[in-house]
Amino acid sequence: MKKLRIGLFGFGVVGTGLYDVIHKTKGIHAKIVKICVKHRDKARPIPMDFFTFDKNDILNDDSLDVVVELIDNADEAFDIVSAAMKKGKAVVSANKRMIAENFHELYELQKKHNAPFLYEASACGSIPIIRNLEEYYDNDLLTSLEGICNGTTNYILTKTSEEKISYADALKGAQQSGFAESDPTLDVKAFDAKFKLTILLTHTFGIFVKHNEIFNFGIQNLSVEDSTFAKEKGVRIKLIAHTFSANGKILAYVMPKFIHKGDMFYDVRNEFNAVQLEASFSDKQFFYGKGAGSHPTASAVLSDLAALMYDYHYEYKKYNQRLESNNKANGTTFTNDQLLNVYLRYSDEKLLKDLQFAEIDQQYFSHNFKYVIGKVSVAKLLEHKLNDRDDVFVVRY
Ligand SMILES: NC(=O)c1ccc[n+]([C@@H]2O[C@H](COP(=O)([O-])OP(=O)(O)OC[C@H]3O[C@@H](n4cnc5c(N)ncnc54)[C@H](OP(=O)(O)O)[C@@H]3O)[C@@H](O)[C@H]2O)c1
């Protein structure tokens, strides 16, 4: 078993959590030797001897075999992570945005430099989903993954619908608790959940999809009318990331969904996350746990470090199998060409026309509230940039 000497980047919510959990875990043979942070004037809870402000103090130190990257800037994180891999260091990261934006390149870097790169904390915090998708579901034919992957939006949806707290106060509460991103737009507009879905999609179905090909729609436009509509129907609104395979194609999107009582997602409240998998032989399975926060996220990083002690790395078996089979026959591809049943609240009749609903089952007009329920293609939702508008709310029905 290896002893790990760690160079840590970032000492914020997750970094300090990791320091804490490493010191409270007896079985882990890992030592944080050096920590690189950004701001010189910040007070630190541990002696200043640990800290550096120069990334090269870690990257050029051959005595450090593992880099743990826990900073809040995706571009700088990619520079650090790729430089570390080029030097053959093992890397652990929690940075879903950085991974989703550079996923295929990071895959190639791992291969080229024989550098393990683990990122369990990047999707659904403490829920051990990536390693399960990689190892446990290797031979089972997965057909669908659905998840509540963003703690902040689930917290806001819980507080606004069940506790009558305003949207702004609920968001403030999430930030004060340390699980909202520095820029909450990424959370509420469902980019964070989409970055996680981009990563999970690869480990579920063995394909790399660019995150901007995946439709995301957040909760930023949720109105009192939408909440009242849900309440009258006896359903709860949850932000759900979904990927599934159908007729040889793979689909993925993140958007709010009406969840009925009895559905496993119905009682997933506050900052909790959950993932439901469907597979040919094991049927439905449900994972539930804390998706964010200092110690829960650090526990996933700790698990990656424990795996590195045994030289574990992701093999991307499904991706490699797919490459092999694609050479022989037409393989499965990603598509947005699929009809979804949705509730769409809108104000602009032109938008309704442009979206070209394939079917409209219900339509409602009043002075300040108009909605339709019907079938629309994911490609149309993506094309018309719904997430950039402030006059619509769309929910999977
Ligand atoms: N918070 C969560 O619950 C959670 C959950 C899952 C994943 N994550 C991911 O984990 C990562 C860290 O999140 P966080 O919440 O811990 O962030 P955070 O509290 O804002 O802390 C960020 C840390 O990064 C440091 N930093 C920023 N730029 C740097 C640079 N160029 N070089 C070195 N250090 C730099 C900051 O230094 P200073 O201390 O000097 O400011 C700070 O210590 C992010 O990728 C986030 O998406 C977070």
Side-chain angles (χ1 to χ4, degrees):
M1 192 199 307
K2 266 185 164 168
K3 285 192 175 170
L4 309 177
R5 285 174 56 82
I6 299 169
L8 172 63
F9 284 86
F11 205 61
V13 174
V14 188
T16 51
L18 180 67
Y19 186 87
D20 214 23
V21 299
I22 284 184
H23 286 88
K24 286 180 177 150
T25 309
K26 287 203 183 84
I28 187 95
H29 299 284
K31 188 176 171 201
I32 296 177
V33 180
K34 199 98 269 50
I35 305 171
C36 180
V37 285
K38 192 165 192 177
H39 299 103
R40 288 173 188 270
D41 305 337
K42 243 190 208 174
R44 306 289 169 184
I46 58 169
M48 278 314 287
D49 307 352
F50 275 103
F51 292 96
T52 176
F53 304 93
D54 181 354
K55 63 181 176 184
N56 292 318
D57 285 349
I58 290 178
L59 295 173
N60 293 339
D61 184 342
D62 293 337
S63 79
L64 302 176
D65 42 13
V66 181
V67 161
V68 177
E69 179 282 302
L70 299 173
I71 74 170
D72 57 347
N73 179 305
D75 295 336
E76 288 167 12
F78 181 64
D79 289 347
I80 291 164
V81 166
S82 46
M85 280 201 254
K86 284 175 189 164
K87 287 182 175 284
K89 293 183 193 296
V91 179
V92 176
S93 171
N95 203 321
K96 50 264 173 168
R97 181 177 190 170
M98 182 274 291
I99 299 168
E101 286 178 346
N102 304 282
F103 206 9
H104 196 260
E105 199 172 338
L106 289 164
Y107 164 77
E108 293 288 354
L109 278 169
Q110 292 169 70
K111 261 201 330 193
K112 186 167 174 200
H113 300 282
N114 197 20
F117 176 49
L118 303 182
Y119 39 82
E120 187 64 71
S122 68
C124 302
S126 69
I127 299 177
I129 187 65
I130 298 176
R131 198 124 30 102
N132 267 303
L133 289 171
E134 268 296 288
E135 305 301 334
Y136 184 89
Y137 294 97
D138 180 29
N139 295 316
D140 199 354
L141 293 175
L142 286 166
T143 51
S144 161
L145 176 148
E146 268 192 294
I148 293 178
C149 300
N150 180 271
T152 302
T153 44
N154 204 49
Y155 180 91
I156 294 171
L157 289 169
T158 305
K159 296 292 174 201
T160 51
S161 74
E162 293 178 41
E163 296 176 30
K164 303 273 173 287
I165 291 173
S166 74
Y167 182 95
D169 285 347
L171 175 58
K172 213 180 289 164
Q175 284 171 318
Q176 279 161 358
S177 311
F179 47 78
E181 290 296 317
S182 323
D183 176 1
T185 320
L186 293 179
D187 289 316
V188 297
K189 289 187 126 182
F191 285 99
D192 178 77
K194 180 166 75 165
F195 296 145
K196 292 166 180 167
L197 183 63
T198 308
I199 297 166
L200 293 172
L201 172 55
T202 297
H203 290 282
T204 305
F205 292 121
I207 56 168
F208 286 92
V209 177
K210 291 201 170 71
H211 68 85
N212 50 14
E213 288 178 33
I214 299 175
F215 174 68
N216 61 305
F217 187 83
I219 62 162
Q220 71 279 7
N221 297 342
L222 176 72
S223 72
V224 175
E225 287 81 8
D226 304 319
S227 298
T228 308
F229 179 91
K231 208 157 276 169
E232 282 172 5
K233 301 275 176 207
V235 293
R236 286 183 177 159
I237 299 173
K238 299 282 180 192
L239 185 69
I240 303 280
H242 189 197
T243 180
F244 62 102
S245 67
N247 306 321
K249 304 278 181 208
I250 290 165
L251 292 103
Y253 40 77
V254 184
M255 61 197 287
K257 183 182 178 189
F258 291 130
I259 302 287
H260 291 264
K261 207 177 171 129
D263 187 308
M264 295 292 276
F265 288 118
Y266 189 83
D267 286 317
V268 178
R269 302 173 64 252
N270 294 319
E271 75 272 30
F272 279 84
N273 280 194
V275 178
Q276 181 168 272
L277 298 176
E278 273 186 71
S280 307
F281 307 124
S282 50
D283 203 357
K284 284 188 182 171
Q285 287 175 318
F286 196 74
F287 298 73
Y288 173 83
K290 286 200 168 162
S294 181
H295 280 179
T297 310
S299 98
V301 176
L302 184 77
S303 167
D304 283 348
L305 291 172
L308 285 179
M309 292 186 343
Y310 296 94
D311 286 323
Y312 177 78
H313 62 280
Y314 302 135
E315 289 178 57
Y316 301 90
K317 289 185 273 265
K318 291 173 203 158
Y319 175 64
N320 288 313
Q321 281 160 10
R322 194 174 283 290
L323 281 185
E324 274 171 30
S325 66
N326 279 5
N327 285 338
K328 291 183 202 134
N330 282 336
T332 311
T333 50
F334 180 76
T335 181
N336 281 312
D337 191 10
Q338 167 88 13
L339 292 178
L340 278 188
N341 208 31
V342 301
Y343 155 98
L344 174 84
R345 172 177 55 75
Y346 67 102
S347 62
D348 182 358
E349 291 295 339
K350 181 172 180 315
L351 175 70
L352 189 61
K353 203 163 157 236
D354 289 345
L355 288 174
Q356 296 174 12
F357 271 66
E359 255 175 48
I360 291 190
D361 299 327
Q362 284 182 44
Q363 194 151 16
Y364 176 84
F365 303 93
S366 71
H367 169 59
N368 59 356
F369 183 35
K370 292 196 273 193
Y371 70 80
V372 290
I373 292 171
K375 288 194 172 60
V376 66
S377 95
V378 183
K380 285 283 167 204
L381 295 174
L382 188 68
E383 182 190 329
H384 290 282
K385 297 186 168 61
L386 261 64
N387 214 20
D388 293 344
R389 303 178 65 115
D390 58 9
D391 63 338
V392 290
F393 194 63
V394 62
V395 188
R396 203 145 56 94
Y397 192 69

